[in-house]
Structure formats: C-alpha cells, structure tokens
Amino acid sequence: MKELYLNNQLCELNPSDPIQYNFQVNDIGDVESRQATFTSTISLPKTKTNIRIMEGLGLVGDVSRLPYDKINAHLFEDTIPVIYNGWAIIGETNENYNLNLYSGIVDLFKAIENKTIGVDLDLTETKHNKDLYSVYNSFTNENYRYIIADYNGKSHIVSKNQIFVNIDYLVPSIRCKYLIDKIQSTFGFEFIGSVFSNESYLNWWMTYPKPSPEMSDDSIPIEPVLVSTGSVLNLINPTYEDGVSEINMNNGFTAVEGQWLNDREYKVSKAGTFTLKYKGKGLAKYYWEEPNDQTDPRRIDNRTPNLTLCINGNVTDKKLYIDNKDFELNFSVNIGNIISFVYEEIYENRPSWGLYELDITELNLFIYQISSGTIDFKDVLIDFGVKDFFKEFLWQFGLTPIVKENNKVLFLTTDERINAEIVNWSDKYNGRLSENYTYGNYAQRNWFKHKYNEENTSYNNGFLDVENHNLEDEKDIIQSKIYTIEEEKKTFKTSSSNSFETNIYKLWNREIVQEVNEKGVEIIDIKYKDLSNRYYFIRSKINTGEINLISEKLSDSIPLNNFSQEDYSGLEFKNIVLNSYQSYQGILNDSRIHQIKLKNLTPVDIQNLRFDVVYYFEQEQQYYILNKLPYQNQKENVGEFIRVIRK
C-alpha cells in the first residue's frame, strides 16, 4: 500500500496506478550537472480530499499558489518511507493533478537557486573600515584577510628612505569556509565529509572583486584639557644624548578604554587611523650662563614649545605645535594603545644651557577617525550567485554531494567513493543485461577553464583526456567565473630589507601617460584604472619578515613584523585536475557501465539505499558504484552500475 503526504496531508491515490522511482546522485560521467532522485508522474484524482489539499487548484476562479510553492512530500510503501522530506512539483492539471516528486540534492539546489551571496547571506562579521590597523589585524582574522600581494596597482611608496607597502592598493579576501558555513546555517543544511578538515579547503580565500571605496571619517571628541608641566608632560631630567625627555608611564590608574586614564594619558577604544585636531598655548623658557657678564650672567631665551606624540610610551616623529593656532596630524593606533605627549628639550652648545620654565596653559584636542572607506562584502557580492559559488566548491575538490538523513549532505571525492565501504549484493544479482563503453557527454580532451584578463590565453587551464578515439576531439566541461593570476611573477618588497616573489592578481590596469607640466617640461606619469568583477581564489601563508605599511590617503604609516603573504598553490585547474580528478579520469578511460538485473528488492532495501558505498557482485567478481536505480515493484529491477578498480 502506498501513502502520499503533501504538506503533511494524506492524499487519495489511484491504487492501480504504478509509481516508478528513479534513485540517483550526481552523475559521475558529468562533472557539471547535479541530479536527484525523482518519480514518474503521479496522477491524483480530483476527489474532495485532493481538491482541498490542492486549495481548489484548477477550479473556476481558483487562486491557489501551490504550483509555484515548495510542497513538502513524503511517500510510503507498506509504512516504509521511500521518499522522505521530498519536493513535489505540480506540472499540469486536467482531469487529474499531475505531479512529480524529487528528493536528494535537489532540495539543496532548489534552496540556493536564484539566491546571491550579497543579498541572502549575513556577512556582518566582514564589514570594516579600511585603515592601517584593520589591515594589520586582519592577518589573524578568520573571516577576511588582507593578503599581501601585487594587485597591479600603486603598491609601493618610498618615504624617509624606506620602502612602504601602500594599503590603498590592497584588497581584502573573504574566507571560502566562512561562505560555506553561511550557506549551511542560512539554508538549514549540515555539510559533512573529510574535505572540511582538508588544509586546502581551510586555507581557501576569494578576493574582494574591485578597488576600495572613498575615504570616510567618524568624529570622536575628547574634552579640552588644561595641562601643566608636571601632569600631561611628566617631564623629568632631560637626556641630552638624544634631546628627548624620558617618559614615566603612570601605572597608578585603572585603564578605562576610550577615556583619559589620568590627566595626561588616553587609552583608545578601537583601532584605526585618526586625525588629531588641536590648539595649544604655552611657553618654554631656556637659560644659559654668560661668564663674561658679571652683572647678570643668566640669559633667558623664550621658545615656542613643541610636544611629541607618544604611543605606549614610545616617542614618535609626530609633533604638536603649541603656537596658539589650529593644527592637525594623523596617527594610527591599535585597540588599547595609550597616547600621551612629551616635551622634547632643545639642546644648544652653551654653558649651563637648560630648561628654566615650561608652561602649557591649554591643549584642546578633537579626534576624527578616518579610513580609506567602508569595506562591505555584501555590496560587492550582491550579484554572485550562491549556486555559482557552490559549483566552484565542487569543482575545486572534485566532489559528489550525497544527501543523508536530517538534511545532512555528505561530500565525497572520487577516490573516497571508489574505496568506500563494501556492500555485498550478490544475493540480489539476477544477471547482466548489457555492458556499455562510453559514459556521459565527454570528448577526447575535456577542458577546465579559468577566466583571463587577456584573451586567447590558457596557461592555467586543465584538461581530462579520455582514451577513446571514437569521441569528438574536445569540449569545455567547466567554465569558471573566477579569474586566474597573471602568467609572470614579480619581486615584491615589503621593506627596504625584506621581499618575496608574488603572483599578480590584477585589479588595476596601469597606463603610462606623457604630460607637459606648467613649466613646459614633459613628464611621464602612471595612471591606475580600476577593474571590477575580478574574482580570484588565493591562499595565505605567514611571512615573519618586516613589513612597512603606509596609506597615501591617510597620510600615515606603521612598521610591523609578520604578515599574510599570498600563495596560489593548487588553485590552477591544471593542478586541480592532477590532484582531484585522476581516479575520475581512470574510470572514463576504461568505462564499463553494466545494466544489472536485481531481484527481491524490498521497500526496506530502498529505504536503506546508499550511494556512498561500493556494491560487490560475486557473480561478476567486480566492484561497482551505483549510478541509477529505477524501482517500481519488488519483482525485478535494473540498476546502472559503474565498474571501479579499488586500490
């Protein structure tokens, strides 16, 4: 007895109508198409019960939306679930309601169909302001990362006899694991399989597909502060060797982020690059001895004092001019850094030269946090289909998705399918009907293709060769949306003493422009043109060398050690084919597709049918992957099995 439930309502079936089930997973002979279990057309009579379940579909004036909605379906045979949590699609209404049931991977593919990464996935964790410290802090970020590479922009600046990496021409990369995790949580699936602990998967990133946005700022007021020599400046005995007064950090105060810790130190509450606007009043009096003047040997010299910005007690090269005028300077700090000020004493080669009096009467501060703009992956991935990204995932690792119970999806490589658990079906063998020698729609050479910035290039493409001279010469079986790197590499300097060899991920075009300046002198300039919708896969590895980061836009720089360096290992299709498709190629080169008659299959056998195992028939002395199994009754069925050679 068969029972069909649509949206948990029991339908009335024609008892005499047979139902044929076609059980299958992804076709091993077709890398790109993804297939599902389905039934032959089921015709429901227009009984009162069925009309009610169908919400009056097909009646005069009906407004039913069921043909356009997802209809949950369960089909039982003798109380055994043959299709559970399937998908019913109504194709036609005449004297009956005609529908088909689908299950397996179709549920996932239907769920992600017409969905985009930018619209339908929550990428909140990746939104950030771009500045020097967001770049630095991203080197250990698990969701996005500024991977140091040549993106074909203005990558370097020379300043103060040092080489700096210009972050204005860096872009972040989003971690692909983060996107896969979001697909699972958003659409209610759990992905399982060894691939998810594979280092190549864990270290798989995708670049931001266009240059950074315009600069932005966010004001952070700091109340005007009256300061004095003994408090804010904390001046002690000068060190004449370098002319800088030592700094004594006061540890007697409890640190409160984003507030003054005392009357001279401020702990910042967030990382970033800041513009410090200030106006100060003060006077520095120096004296020296004049031995030849017996009446008044002491001479006084009035100077305008300059303060120096300190970060965590370290003197910087950034000056505050206390000259009763409005000034500003830029500086970058990380979360929890403490800013303070020190007075740099002036040393002149005069007898008994020294500071007589320092009086800073007022120092008004106002801070703006500035950045190169807000980076939001949702904005740039708004047109990138979830289904397109999911297919890239399958192609990268040569995977077959197999739906398990409770919305779990198991991902297996061809090697894993060939060497999986063995199920002995010898007692169900009832003879072989036929043996075929070509499978799928393959050619002798089958191309896996990247996108390229230059036409008619193919240096990173891969191909599968099938040793069958009766096939057509060649065809494209995969055309990725992802660009590949440029063919040449470059030396990329991260400081005056550190460099590495980098691949080029082209996000800017360089154009050499010859111009004549106002003095009539011909000059040569380089213009950088933005390129959009350039997606690249990339990997990250640690470089423990020096890196100097700078931003032309933000007018600041920071020196660091340790950074994330680009790596492209294993991302070319020519390597992906070698690493993930050799077993696949072995099957295609020696195709044996057997149509095998099966006897005594019960609804329990169908309920427990598995595509993640290898079937063994003693009569054939062979191992097989089950590709398709049409099932209509318990008497005799014919399954399509692909012979495999186990290692």
Side-chain angles (χ1 to χ4, degrees):
M1 183 182 71
K2 296 181 175 64
E3 294 175 297
L4 173 62
Y5 289 84
L6 299 180
N7 288 338
N8 297 317
Q9 301 174 84
L10 179 61
C11 300
E12 294 179 345
L13 294 168
N14 285 319
S16 60
D17 286 354
I19 299 176
Q20 177 171 305
Y21 312 96
N22 295 277
F23 295 95
Q24 59 185 6
V25 291
N26 173 66
D27 196 334
I28 198 169
D30 188 345
V31 180
E32 188 163 357
S33 69
R34 306 291 157 185
Q35 298 163 342
T37 293
F38 63 95
T39 68
S40 59
T41 299
I42 299 173
S43 294
L44 298 181
K46 285 186 176 178
T47 64
K48 288 183 179 180
T49 297
N50 290 342
I51 290 172
R52 175 179 53 78
I53 293 172
M54 293 294 179
E55 300 175 355
L57 182 66
L59 300 183
V60 175
D62 86 86
V63 292
S64 174
R65 296 288 303 170
L66 284 182
Y68 318 109
D69 293 338
K70 178 182 178 181
I71 304 173
N72 185 258
H74 308 296
L75 185 59
F76 296 83
E77 276 205 21
D78 299 330
T79 73
I80 304 298
V82 180
I83 289 181
Y84 193 74
N85 272 339
W87 191 311
I89 297 178
I90 304 169
E92 181 186 29
T93 299
N94 42 43
E95 64 271 14
N96 296 309
Y97 296 115
N98 300 302
L99 52 91
N100 299 87
L101 307 186
Y102 295 84
S103 69
I105 199 63
V106 68
D107 206 30
L108 173 58
F109 271 81
K110 282 289 186 182
I112 64 178
E113 199 168 54
N114 300 320
K115 303 294 193 299
T116 71
I117 294 174
V119 173
D120 297 287
L121 302 185
D122 180 7
L123 308 180
T124 304
E125 298 91 342
T126 65
K127 186 175 181 179
H128 63 280
N129 289 330
K130 184 180 179 183
D131 53 51
L132 289 164
Y133 270 103
S134 66
V135 171
Y136 165 64
N137 291 331
S138 80
F139 295 157
T140 55
N141 192 294
E142 293 300 311
N143 300 326
Y144 71 88
R145 189 166 292 179
Y146 284 85
I147 300 173
I148 304 300
D150 193 315
Y151 298 97
N152 209 47
K154 188 178 180 181
S155 55
H156 291 86
I157 292 175
V158 178
S159 177
K160 301 171 185 174
N161 297 319
Q162 279 285 331
I163 294 175
F164 289 81
V165 176
N166 185 10
I167 72 163
D168 300 342
Y169 289 84
L170 295 179
V171 296
S173 293
I174 193 167
R175 194 179 186 188
C176 296
K177 175 187 180 299
Y178 173 79
L179 294 177
I180 294 291
D181 288 346
K182 288 294 183 180
I183 291 172
Q184 294 180 74
S185 60
T186 301
F187 300 105
F189 291 87
E190 180 184 354
F191 296 164
I192 56 176
S194 64
V195 66
F196 299 105
S197 58
N198 186 316
E199 179 58 29
S200 295
Y201 168 76
L202 296 174
N203 189 17
W204 178 38
W205 305 74
M206 183 171 71
T207 60
Y208 199 77
K210 69 176 187 179
S212 300
E214 294 301 316
M215 287 183 61
S216 61
D217 58 46
D218 181 20
S219 61
I220 303 175
I222 295 179
E223 296 298 327
V225 177
L226 293 174
V227 299
S228 64
T229 301
S231 58
V232 171
L233 304 180
N234 196 29
L235 182 68
I236 61 174
N237 293 330
T239 302
Y240 287 115
E241 293 175 356
D242 57 11
V244 179
S245 299
E246 294 179 4
I247 303 165
N248 179 21
M249 300 299 290
N250 190 334
N251 295 320
F253 293 85
T254 301
V256 180
E257 288 189 352
Q259 296 183 13
W260 288 99
L261 307 184
N262 45 63
D263 57 358
R264 63 182 179 79
E265 296 171 335
Y266 185 81
K267 188 171 185 179
V268 299
S269 60
K270 55 182 176 179
T273 300
F274 298 84
T275 292
L276 175 63
K277 295 187 175 183
Y278 66 93
K279 184 178 182 179
K281 298 178 182 179
L283 183 66
K285 294 184 178 181
Y286 285 84
Y287 70 89
W288 72 91
E289 300 289 344
E290 179 55 69
N292 297 327
D293 190 339
Q294 300 299 319
T295 59
D296 188 4
R298 172 161 289 192
R299 295 287 187 264
I300 301 298
D301 194 357
N302 295 326
R303 302 289 179 102
T304 299
N306 297 332
L307 305 183
T308 301
L309 178 71
C310 302
I311 299 176
N312 293 335
N314 298 313
V315 177
T316 70
D317 60 355
K318 299 182 181 299
K319 304 292 186 184
L320 280 74
Y321 302 102
I322 310 302
D323 197 22
N324 199 25
K325 296 178 183 177
D326 292 321
F327 294 97
E328 62 181 64
L329 62 84
N330 289 1
F331 66 95
S332 296
V333 285
N334 212 347
I335 295 175
N337 282 176
I338 297 172
I339 59 174
S340 57
F341 310 97
V342 68
Y343 179 70
E344 294 188 70
E345 292 192 358
I346 300 169
Y347 175 70
E348 294 186 5
N349 190 18
R350 294 176 176 177
S352 300
W353 170 267
L355 183 65
Y356 172 65
E357 182 181 353
L358 177 64
D359 190 15
I360 309 294
T361 58
E362 186 175 345
L363 182 58
N364 301 324
L365 305 175
F366 197 83
I367 293 179
Y368 289 92
Q369 183 170 12
I370 57 176
S371 74
S372 294
T374 300
I375 299 293
D376 193 344
F377 279 92
K378 284 186 71 70
D379 291 343
V380 296
L381 297 177
I382 195 167
D383 295 323
F384 200 122
V386 175
K387 188 174 179 179
D388 290 331
F389 178 77
F390 189 76
K391 287 164 64 175
E392 298 282 352
F393 164 58
L394 298 178
W395 295 338
Q396 278 286 313
F397 303 100
L399 298 171
T400 297
I402 299 172
V403 174
K404 310 290 281 184
E405 69 284 347
N406 301 321
N407 272 7
K408 290 184 179 179
V409 183
L410 173 64
F411 294 84
L412 295 177
T413 65
T414 306
D415 270 346
E416 289 173 324
R417 295 195 70 190
I418 291 173
N419 298 291
E421 174 190 345
I422 298 172
V423 173
N424 192 330
W425 263 19
S426 300
D427 62 337
K428 302 185 185 300
Y429 185 87
N430 198 27
R432 187 206 301 175
L433 281 181
S434 64
E435 177 177 272
N436 298 320
Y437 307 106
T438 58
Y439 194 81
N441 189 21
Y442 275 78
Q444 294 183 56
R445 174 155 291 182
N446 304 277
W447 287 101
F448 293 56
K449 291 189 173 180
H450 297 280
K451 280 186 172 291
Y452 291 84
N453 288 300
E454 300 294 332
E455 294 183 0
N456 302 318
T457 50
S458 61
Y459 48 86
N460 275 338
N461 290 344
F463 57 84
L464 276 177
D465 276 348
V466 179
E467 296 174 1
N468 185 340
H469 298 292
N470 298 311
L471 302 177
E472 62 178 302
D473 288 343
E474 62 179 8
K475 67 179 298 185
D476 299 342
I477 60 170
I478 286 178
Q479 178 62 69
S480 175
K481 292 185 68 172
I482 307 300
Y483 282 77
T484 191
I485 54 175
E486 299 302 291
E487 193 166 11
E488 73 277 7
K489 289 188 175 185
K490 289 181 63 175
T491 298
F492 191 94
K493 297 190 74 65
T494 58
S495 69
S496 297
S497 58
N498 191 43
S499 64
F500 66 93
E501 288 294 306
T502 179
N503 292 294
I504 301 172
Y505 304 77
K506 203 169 186 180
L507 282 170
W508 282 269
N509 262 337
R510 298 180 182 180
E511 181 182 355
I512 297 177
V513 179
Q514 291 182 322
E515 299 177 333
V516 178
N517 64 16
E518 63 277 4
K519 296 181 179 179
V521 178
E522 186 175 76
I523 58 174
I524 296 177
D525 193 15
I526 299 177
K527 302 292 185 183
Y528 297 92
K529 180 183 178 182
D530 298 351
L531 299 174
S532 294
N533 296 319
R534 295 297 200 275
Y535 300 94
Y536 295 91
F537 287 143
I538 190 171
R539 302 199 195 283
S540 170
K541 66 181 181 182
I542 297 173
N543 187 316
T544 58
E546 296 178 316
I547 185 168
N548 295 326
L549 297 181
I550 199 169
S551 171
E552 271 191 302
K553 290 183 179 180
L554 303 177
S555 302
D556 198 24
S557 63
I558 53 173
L560 301 165
N561 287 308
N562 299 335
F563 59 92
S564 294
Q565 171 190 325
E566 71 82 26
D567 182 22
Y568 200 67
S569 301
L571 291 171
E572 313 95 326
F573 270 138
K574 62 184 180 183
N575 283 324
I576 290 172
V577 170
L578 288 174
N579 294 332
S580 300
Y581 288 89
Q582 289 307 292
S583 295
Y584 197 59
Q585 187 174 32
I587 292 173
L588 295 176
N589 278 339
D590 190 19
S591 295
R592 294 291 192 278
I593 301 94
H594 289 172
Q595 304 292 326
I596 295 177
K597 294 187 291 183
L598 302 170
K599 61 184 178 182
N600 302 324
L601 283 182
T602 67
V604 174
D605 292 324
I606 296 302
Q607 180 191 18
N608 296 322
L609 192 66
R610 294 174 61 184
F611 288 90
D612 60 340
V613 297
V614 170
Y615 290 91
Y616 176 74
F617 294 107
E618 184 178 356
Q619 297 86 341
E620 294 279 357
Q621 295 289 300
Q622 299 288 348
Y623 298 94
Y624 296 90
I625 290 175
L626 174 59
N627 196 53
K628 295 177 184 178
L629 177 58
Y631 173 81
Q632 185 166 316
N633 55 54
Q634 300 182 30
K635 294 180 180 179
E636 186 174 278
N637 298 275
V638 178
E640 183 175 272
F641 292 86
I642 302 171
R643 189 188 71 178
V644 296
I645 308 299
R646 289 169 64 88
K647 296 178 181 178

